[in-house]
Amino acid sequence: MAADWLTHRGVKSAKKSVNLSGEFLARFLLALLVIGTPLWIWAARRGETAVTVHALMPEKGGFLPDTLTAAVGVPLELNLISDDVMHGFAVGQTGWPAVDVKPGQMTEVTLTFAEPGTYTYYCTRWCGPNHWRMRGTIEVTGAEEREAPPASPPLYVELELDIDAPHELDILLKTPPSAARGAELDITLPSEFLSRDVYLTQTPFEVWQALRLASETAALTDEDVWDLVAAAWHSQTTDEQIQRGQTLYNQNCAACHGSGGGGDGVFGQAFDQASDFTDSQTMLGASTAVFDGKIRRGGMGTGMPYWGTIFTDEEIDALIAYLWTFQFPMDNE
Amino acid sequence: MKQQRLWLLFIVAIFGVAFAPLPLGTAVPTSRTVRLEASSFEFSPAVVAVNPGDQVTIELAATDVMHGLYLDGYDLEITAEPGQTAVLTFTADKTGTFRFRCSVTCGALHPFMIGKLKVGPNLLLWRSVALSLLAVLFFISREPLFVNREPLSVVRKPNAEYEIRNTEHGIRNTEHP
Ligand SMILES: [Cu+2]
Ligand SMILES: [Cu+2]
């Protein structure tokens, strides 16, 4: 009898709990449906269009895939994920801020291009010695095929310069030329020395030679004339430009060329000896056009990356303005 | 009586060693700069010692890939990339030993990239060393008390009703046959 009652109770309570959990389940499913459907639709829509881009160390493949396509005005959704270490992602010449791409974490970016063309995306975090090889391209097609404006060739092509030729001089400067001292000399330079053209196409040494022969400098020492060259160079750059150049330099170049420009960055010897921008023998024999060409095109099989598709013209100008300050320091008396 | 005094003495000594404020940390706070080189997968130096109150400047230089530094206890973080040395300045106002670790996933052994910041002498360590010495002293001084006592081991007495046997399963009482 007692045993009977026990079983009866047991069955009853079990039934009740089944009812309860069934109701709960139904409510839960309903809630899931109400909340989840829009979420799911949104996720599925993004999933349809979003492209997953994996980031790996360059030795293991770099960006996968490394070619993407998009159309002007149509948002390109990317899901970025790292399969090893911390990487970064930025699109050259757009000015869009770089994002970090961390392992085990999805970084979503949406890119909308206003102009057709080929864009380069690149890693912005030093992830290994080959980090600078980690790049990909986005082919953006226009709504209607427009005639692309003919791009003017880089200066070094126009001038037919051999940017790989050695440009070492046999000179020795005791002190670095100073624009400030040059200004103090109170000499009005003939205007042809202050032209943009001279800054772009002539080497400082060529300008020094020409100035040396000018009648205005007859009474000056050789060092004074170098100070005049520094002043002429300084007149072609602005402080903001130099500051901008310094920021870009530290982010992109200092790892090889050294934060002091001495070619002694941690990767300065990883490939070929990175150029020493503090060496007056090589620097004063090169022109802005040579640097411009080298930065755009990169080295020929050397460790010097090409930056032509990454930086805008203004950014390259700013970088070169900063490079010259290693020869013509701004703040020495 | 003599025993009681000894006990009292030791208790006072124990509290003294464990809790007495020490006139340490009187070193005049200075500012010091430490250059930390971060490479895969270590910090060099791995141990940084400063005095409490010091103004500490850490220059973090990455020598291969991007690394970071997160300082436990102080909850501070910086990251550095090759060519871009990062600088962190703080006042070492918490004493003790704090771990710092790399905060950027930098490779396979990244979780093992750790170091230590020691602020002030490690009082806890010295106090515990002193306490152990005190304990040793205590037992040495107590030794004469044992002389007239029976040794602690169990001795089988001839007329005992049971014996204590040490079996595999522990100590078990068994009836004497
Ligand atoms: Cu990278
Ligand atoms: Cu690390």
Side-chain angles (χ1 to χ4, degrees):
Chain A
M1 197 54 206
D4 254 344
W5 178 79
L6 255 180
T7 28
H8 186 69
R9 268 287 293 258
V11 168
K12 202 174 161 191
S13 69
K15 253 190 190 158
K16 198 173 165 193
S17 79
V18 163
N19 281 345
L20 247 179
S21 69
E23 192 182 323
F24 178 72
L25 198 74
R27 277 176 197 218
F28 178 72
L29 281 178
L30 192 72
L32 205 71
L33 217 67
V34 169
I35 301 167
T37 310
L39 261 177
W40 178 73
I41 289 174
W42 179 80
R45 283 214 358 245
R46 186 177 167 89
E48 258 168 42
T49 48
V51 181
T52 301
V53 177
H54 291 261
L56 292 93
M57 302 228 293
E59 304 81 57
K60 293 193 218 128
F63 285 116
L64 297 176
D66 62 359
T67 48
L68 298 167
T69 51
V72 164
V74 181
L76 171 65
E77 290 162 343
L78 299 177
N79 293 336
L80 305 166
I81 189 148
S82 164
D83 290 354
D84 43 34
V85 299
M86 162 95 106
H87 294 284
F89 176 92
V91 182
Q93 298 180 333
T94 59
W96 295 332
V99 291
D100 281 344
V101 182
K102 296 177 182 172
Q105 199 176 314
M106 185 98 84
T107 304
E108 295 178 357
V109 293
T110 304
L111 311 172
T112 310
F113 295 90
E115 294 289 329
T118 305
Y119 293 80
T120 298
Y121 57 97
Y122 61 104
C123 180
T124 53
R125 294 297 194 187
W126 278 91
C127 52
N130 285 302
H131 149 73
W132 49 277
R133 296 183 202 266
M134 191 165 163
R135 294 177 179 184
T137 52
I138 308 173
E139 207 65 57
V140 180
T141 49
E144 80 269 14
E145 241 15 272
R146 256 182 300 173
E147 192 75 16
S152 57
L155 205 50
Y156 79 95
V157 175
E158 218 172 282
L159 298 173
E160 296 177 6
L161 290 176
D162 176 6
I163 56 173
D164 300 307
H167 41 74
E168 197 164 341
L169 300 171
D170 191 17
I171 54 162
L172 191 69
L173 297 188
K174 279 182 229 103
T175 49
S178 152
R181 273 198 313 258
E184 270 165 31
L185 289 172
D186 216 18
I187 286 190
T188 338
L189 286 178
S191 63
E192 67 254 37
F193 291 107
L194 291 171
S195 78
R196 184 83 190 150
D197 241 26
V198 165
Y199 170 78
L200 289 177
T201 62
Q202 308 274 297
T203 73
F205 185 61
E206 285 165 346
V207 173
W208 180 85
Q209 280 180 312
L211 269 174
R212 187 71 283 192
L213 296 175
S215 56
E216 287 89 343
T217 66
L220 300 180
T221 65
D222 286 355
E223 280 75 29
D224 289 343
V225 177
W226 273 118
D227 292 343
L228 288 179
V229 174
W233 248 242
H234 187 207
S235 73
Q236 297 299 320
T237 61
T238 65
D239 289 353
E240 295 99 76
Q241 210 183 11
I242 289 170
Q243 219 132 65
R244 176 118 184 74
Q246 181 172 21
T247 308
L248 290 169
Y249 179 88
N250 286 339
Q251 285 167 356
N252 300 283
C253 325
C256 291
H257 289 285
S259 40
D264 53 354
V266 294
F267 293 122
Q269 272 146 352
F271 306 94
D272 302 274
Q273 178 56 54
S275 304
D276 175 358
F277 299 132
T278 63
D279 178 1
S280 48
Q281 312 230 22
T282 55
M283 286 294 279
L284 299 179
S287 63
T288 298
V290 166
F291 292 161
D292 181 82
K294 187 53 83 63
I295 294 169
R296 282 176 198 279
R297 193 213 61 187
M300 281 299 219
T302 71
M304 174 63 189
Y306 67 90
W307 304 94
T309 57
I310 291 194
F311 295 130
T312 59
D313 293 349
E314 293 75 43
E315 287 171 329
I316 292 177
D317 285 348
L319 275 163
I320 298 171
Y322 181 63
L323 294 188
W324 283 123
T325 64
F326 291 119
Q327 284 307 310
F328 305 131
M330 302 275 293
D331 43 31
N332 71 346
E333 273 80 74
Chain B
M1 204 55 226
K2 197 183 151 206
Q3 253 182 64
Q4 267 179 7
R5 238 186 265 159
L6 201 70
W7 271 94
L8 207 71
L9 194 77
F10 270 108
I11 285 169
V12 169
I14 284 167
F15 273 90
V17 164
F19 300 112
L22 292 180
L24 279 171
T26 46
V28 182
T30 53
S31 42
R32 38 181 101 221
T33 301
V34 184
R35 185 184 152 87
L36 268 188
E37 293 202 343
S39 58
S40 304
F41 300 93
E42 60 180 7
F43 289 104
S44 165
V47 180
V48 176
V50 300
N51 287 324
D54 280 358
Q55 165 131 340
V56 184
T57 300
I58 289 179
E59 289 177 4
L60 184 68
T63 64
D64 44 23
V65 298
M66 186 185 187
H67 293 287
L69 182 145
Y70 175 79
L71 180 57
D72 280 1
Y74 284 82
D75 197 22
L76 295 169
E77 200 209 336
I78 43 169
T79 60
E81 283 194 82
Q84 290 173 273
T85 301
V87 177
L88 172 71
T89 303
F90 62 98
T91 308
D93 50 9
K94 292 176 201 156
T95 51
T97 300
F98 304 93
R99 220 174 250 282
F100 52 82
R101 57 190 83 238
C102 182
S103 60
V104 171
T105 311
C106 56
L109 299 178
H110 158 71
F112 302 102
M113 190 165 164
I114 46 182
K116 264 185 214 166
L117 172 76
K118 291 184 172 176
V119 183
N122 199 338
L123 278 186
L124 224 61
L125 178 77
W126 291 119
R127 283 189 203 272
S128 53
V129 166
L131 276 181
S132 340
L133 285 178
L134 213 64
V136 170
L137 223 75
F138 182 68
F139 280 108
I140 291 173
S141 65
R142 262 190 60 158
E143 206 168 44
L145 300 177
F146 287 112
V147 167
N148 295 329
R149 286 203 175 169
E150 286 177 20
L152 273 176
S153 53
V154 176
V155 176
R156 193 174 164 196
K157 305 230 166 109
N159 291 324
E161 295 213 320
Y162 55 85
E163 62 179 331
I164 294 171
R165 270 213 287 173
N166 205 349
T167 71
E168 236 180 286
H169 310 288
I171 293 170
R172 206 193 266 172
N173 284 348
T174 44
E175 299 268 321
H176 200 269

